[in-house]
Amino acid sequence: MSGTTTSGKKRTTGVTRHRGGGANRWTVLIVLCVSLLFVALDTTILYVAVPAVTEDLRPGPVELLWVVDVYPLIAASLLILFGTLGDRVGRRRILLFGYGLFAIASAAAALAPNPQILIVARALLGVGGAMIMPATLSILRQVFPDRRERAVAIGVWSAVAAVGAAVGPVLGGFLVENFWWGSVFLINIPMMAVMLLVGRWLLPESRGERNGPWDVLGAVIAALGVLGLVFGVKQIGSGEHVVGWTTLCPMLVGALLLALFVHRQRRREHPLIDMRLFARPAFGTSVGCIVLAMLALVGLQLIAVQYLQLVLGMTPLETGLRMLPLVFAAMAAGLTGSRMLQALGPRVMVSAGFVLTAVAVLCLTALGTQDHPWQLSAGFVLLGFGFQSTLFGAYESMLSEAPAEASGGAAAIGETSYQLGAGIGVAVLGSVMNAVYAPGLHRVAGVPHRASRAAGHSLGEAYQVAGGLGAHARHALREAARASFVHGLHVTLVASAVLLLIGAAIALRLPRRAADAAERADGEAPGPGHDAEPAPAASGR
């Protein structure tokens, strides 16, 4: 193959060529999964710490949104840059740099004395995450050329990602209750130090084609385009008007820069990303499915955490434990994903996953201001299994469409889609939630107008405002805020279900069988810079 593979100081041949037995590639998978686990943890571990951060650092509503959103925002904008850079200079090298930066940024976040420092530290965490995420997936693509083995590896990889994101609130709740909110970041430091040493020793180095110069300008244009687009949507999520300088302008500039990036890549002899991949239905559709799945559910997860803590009155640890059914269901879907893919095919698996998740979301609309643990657990089980099945099928189809030497770029596209969907989802579903929640507090009997307006910013702020009122007004404002929040939650759940059903319809463009994409790839002659060695047909494995 055209890529080179080395490990540590000595060159290790055949790591990306192994077709038979041997534990080497599975050992590599374990290291990659542990790397991904802590990056995924950081996506959600802060959710249950938001009330503690608010009480300690006193961020404003916009600053609080930035604390939560800046990590996926920066990570999304830089994934293409670092994914394609890894193809050039070495994926392992970028991964090791990511470990180091992630540890340094975690220390800065844990010791942040004010919201501004915390936002900057979270942004640096996003840079480190952007180095780590595409590198793990592209190395996996290189180490597992056989599609069936790769499907198993992606199942484990995606299960770990789901576990990390879902366990985040559990671990965060335990740490916040027993220590302080900064401890949710401190746990990254020893693990990243260990991964830096283990990764240098065990992980294989691999590169893609190095013909022609690396398009630095193109990478910067892509980063700024994604940043502008997500920033504009995030401003809408913070309550800004849709038509305004801080919302419409960044979105338009971002869209124009992304259009320029696509045009530039189509004209270059050696592009960062081969745009012809998007002409393949399986690739483009998979990317769209990843965006829609994340858009529909990540913002919803943040709202669900607030519901459990602020409406039902659970502690951070209790909140995390309540979300364990989602964790176990996602793990089951990831670990059985390879068999389901072979039995159902990408089209049915991804579409059914979307539909099952939509059903779970609609079931949760029956929740109110009273606790119904069995109903909540059943909804989380369906949600976790359906959502993870969708992501697994979409990632496997996308990665199998891409040639091995361009796996860094393909992985960057997948992870950009993941983070882009997450960032937009928090803004869009947060906007829906705020649009429904705030009007319910405009007129509350016995509560001054100024207090009602302040309470309309968020449920947490409503509780703070209520604490300064008399007994009757305090009770009235708290009850009105809880009822308004639950109403907003119901509307947001319906909006999420609509997005999921749209995703189910889009997924019908995926191949009927898992082998279809591989068979098409086998029939195509390798282009310039592609591997001369034909990929094994999935149907023959």
Side-chain angles (χ1 to χ4, degrees):
M1 300 177 76
S2 56
T4 60
T5 306
T6 60
S7 179
K9 295 181 180 180
K10 298 181 180 180
R11 181 178 175 87
T12 303
T13 60
V15 174
T16 62
R17 291 174 178 267
H18 282 178
R19 301 283 204 268
N24 187 34
R25 59 192 180 282
W26 300 104
T27 304
V28 169
L29 176 62
I30 293 172
V31 176
L32 296 177
C33 286
V34 174
S35 307
L36 181 67
L37 176 64
F38 279 82
V39 175
L41 272 173
D42 233 62
T43 305
T44 58
I45 197 170
L46 192 62
Y47 286 178
V48 294
V50 165
V53 171
T54 303
E55 183 178 352
D56 189 17
L57 300 185
R58 300 290 180 182
V62 174
E63 288 177 325
L64 187 59
L65 271 176
W66 272 107
V67 168
V68 175
D69 290 350
V70 72
Y71 176 78
L73 171 64
I74 296 299
S77 64
L78 296 177
L79 285 165
I80 291 176
L81 189 153
F82 287 119
T84 55
L85 182 61
D87 285 343
R88 281 304 174 101
V89 304
R91 294 147 187 158
R92 171 177 165 271
R93 180 177 298 176
I94 293 296
L95 187 60
L96 295 180
F97 273 116
Y99 291 155
L101 181 58
F102 208 82
I104 294 170
S106 295
L111 302 175
N114 55 56
Q116 295 77 26
I117 298 297
L118 182 56
I119 290 169
V120 172
R122 288 275 288 170
L124 289 176
L125 280 169
V127 178
M131 293 180 173
I132 294 170
M133 284 185 285
T136 62
L137 195 54
S138 56
I139 292 174
L140 184 151
R141 173 66 176 85
Q142 287 279 348
V143 172
F144 292 92
D146 181 280
R147 184 166 186 177
R148 285 193 178 179
E149 283 193 349
R150 185 166 65 245
V152 174
I154 291 176
V156 175
W157 180 89
S158 61
V160 168
V163 167
V167 168
V170 181
L171 182 58
F174 173 80
L175 293 171
V176 170
E177 280 194 19
N178 291 278
F179 303 99
W180 96 109
W181 62 263
S183 60
V184 302
F185 299 110
L186 281 183
I187 62 168
N188 293 331
I189 299 173
M191 183 52 65
M192 287 299 155
V194 171
M195 293 307 300
L196 191 60
L197 296 174
V198 172
R200 184 175 177 80
W201 176 42
L202 286 179
L203 287 179
E205 182 62 283
S206 64
R207 296 181 179 88
E209 287 299 325
R210 304 175 71 178
N211 297 331
W214 182 58
D215 186 10
V216 180
L217 179 59
V220 172
I221 290 173
L224 293 176
V226 175
L227 185 64
L229 189 64
V230 179
F231 176 78
V233 176
K234 213 177 86 63
Q235 288 294 97
I236 297 173
S238 66
E240 298 288 336
H241 293 293
V242 176
V243 180
W245 289 104
T246 60
T247 53
L248 193 59
C249 285
M251 292 172 66
L252 287 176
V253 171
L256 289 173
L257 287 173
L258 290 176
L260 176 62
F261 172 75
V262 171
H263 178 70
R264 180 180 177 85
Q265 298 309 298
R266 285 177 173 171
R267 296 187 62 183
R268 289 184 66 85
E269 182 180 357
H270 302 287
L272 287 174
I273 295 171
D274 188 354
M275 290 298 163
R276 292 174 298 180
L277 286 172
F278 286 93
R280 300 181 177 185
F283 190 89
T285 303
S286 297
V287 169
C289 288
I290 293 169
V291 171
L292 266 174
M294 296 304 299
L295 195 157
L297 288 177
V298 167
L300 191 61
Q301 187 176 15
L302 178 58
I303 295 170
V305 169
Q306 293 175 338
Y307 168 77
L308 292 171
Q309 288 192 52
L310 300 177
V311 176
L312 299 185
M314 296 182 185
T315 65
L317 180 57
E318 289 172 339
T319 298
L321 293 175
R322 278 297 185 91
M323 300 187 75
L324 281 180
L326 188 150
V327 177
F328 294 135
M331 287 176 60
L335 296 176
T336 60
S338 178
R339 291 187 177 182
M340 284 197 297
L341 186 69
Q342 292 299 320
L344 301 176
R347 182 184 302 176
V348 173
M349 183 176 181
V350 177
S351 294
F354 269 122
V355 172
L356 181 61
T357 310
V359 169
V361 166
L362 290 174
C363 287
L364 293 175
T365 57
L367 297 174
T369 55
Q370 302 300 317
D371 188 13
H372 299 284
W374 291 109
Q375 182 180 354
L376 189 66
S377 296
F380 278 167
V381 167
L382 293 177
L383 191 151
F385 194 89
F387 177 59
Q388 191 59 28
S389 297
T390 298
L391 280 186
F392 173 87
Y395 264 113
E396 202 282 337
S397 296
M398 180 206 70
L399 205 58
S400 293
E401 281 287 315
E405 73 278 1
S407 59
I413 292 173
E415 291 300 296
T416 301
S417 305
Y418 185 99
Q419 295 294 336
L420 190 62
I424 294 176
V426 170
V428 170
L429 294 186
S431 298
V432 173
M433 181 72 191
N434 292 337
V436 179
Y437 167 77
L441 298 177
H442 283 172
R443 292 182 180 87
V444 181
V447 178
H449 178 66
R450 179 176 297 179
S452 295
R453 287 192 61 183
H457 293 150
S458 69
L459 183 57
E461 191 164 347
Y463 286 172
Q464 291 180 1
V465 171
L469 302 176
H472 178 72
R474 178 169 62 247
H475 177 74
L477 182 58
R478 287 177 64 91
E479 289 302 310
R482 291 175 73 220
S484 186
F485 185 90
V486 170
H487 177 54
L489 174 62
H490 291 166
V491 174
T492 306
L493 286 167
V494 172
S496 179
V498 170
L499 292 171
L500 291 165
L501 292 175
I502 292 173
I506 292 174
L508 296 176
R509 297 185 69 240
L510 288 171
R512 190 180 300 273
R513 296 184 298 117
D516 288 352
E519 288 168 355
R520 285 198 310 274
D522 290 343
E524 296 175 358
H530 286 203
D531 290 344
E533 179 187 355
S539 57
R541 291 195 290 270

